[in-house]
Amino acid sequence: AKTLVTTIAAWLANLLAIAGWALLAAIFAEGSGSPAVTEWLSIAGKAGLTEFTWVALAFGATGLLRSVGPALGVALGFSFGEGILALWRPWQQISLSAASDRLIGDFGELAAGVGIGFASSMSFGQALAVVLGWALLGVGLAILGLQVRDP
């Protein structure tokens, strides 16, 4: 229960940080106008979904290994290895890094040049499906780990 409360608090803190930076940008950025509220909500939603997916995978590793240190090592190793595999064409179709890059690169004018560009062939719908699939895998691994280790 503590982990769930802490996780929700961390996600809310990140969303509040995004909202705070958006407010500061709207107030202090030079130019004529600011993006619409719906565009800011879209950015927060895409960033939140990507963050949720990576955290879910880390929780999946924690649930299976029942130890935070090794689970962090597995999650970081997966992040590093998956990022390298994302450069390989066949893996790009299911790559979390490529899908995250596609979602982040879809911010339009606000994030021009932010993504690293290896997901240009992936459609938005495919990127969304890949990210959701990895999120479900992470949540499933966490639930499985908790059920197997704590029946």
Side-chain angles (χ1 to χ4, degrees), residues 95-122:
S95 170
L96 178 55
S97 296
S100 298
D101 182 61
R102 174 63 174 95
L103 289 180
I104 291 169
D106 195 54
F107 290 163
E109 297 282 325
L110 293 176
V114 170
I116 58 176
F118 56 46
S120 59
S121 64
M122 188 180 287

Side-chain angles (χ1 to χ4, degrees), residues 6-144:
T6 304
T7 302
I8 292 171
W11 287 333
L12 288 175
N14 281 319
L15 289 176
L16 285 174
I18 291 171
W21 280 111
L23 180 63
L24 289 174
I27 294 171
F28 296 111
E30 295 181 15
S32 59
S34 173
V37 172
T38 56
E39 194 168 350
W40 284 115
L41 290 174
S42 173
I43 291 169
K46 291 173 187 175
L49 177 62
T50 302
E51 179 183 342
F52 173 81
T53 302
W54 285 103
V55 170
L57 289 170
F59 275 139
T62 304
L64 291 174
L65 297 175
R66 302 297 288 175
S67 181
V68 174
L72 285 175
V74 167
L76 288 172
F78 172 76
S79 174
F80 180 74
E82 207 279 332
I84 290 175
L85 279 174
L87 300 172
W88 183 41
R89 267 280 165 229
W91 182 259
Q92 283 182 4
Q93 301 307 310
I94 59 168
S95 170
L96 178 55
S97 296
S100 298
D101 182 61
R102 174 63 174 95
L103 289 180
I104 291 169
D106 195 54
F107 290 163
E109 297 282 325
L110 293 176
V114 170
I116 58 176
F118 56 46
S120 59
S121 64
M122 188 180 287
S123 70
F124 178 79
Q126 180 184 0
L128 188 60
V130 168
V131 171
L132 287 173
W134 281 105
L136 290 174
L137 176 68
V139 170
L141 288 174
I143 291 170
L144 175 70

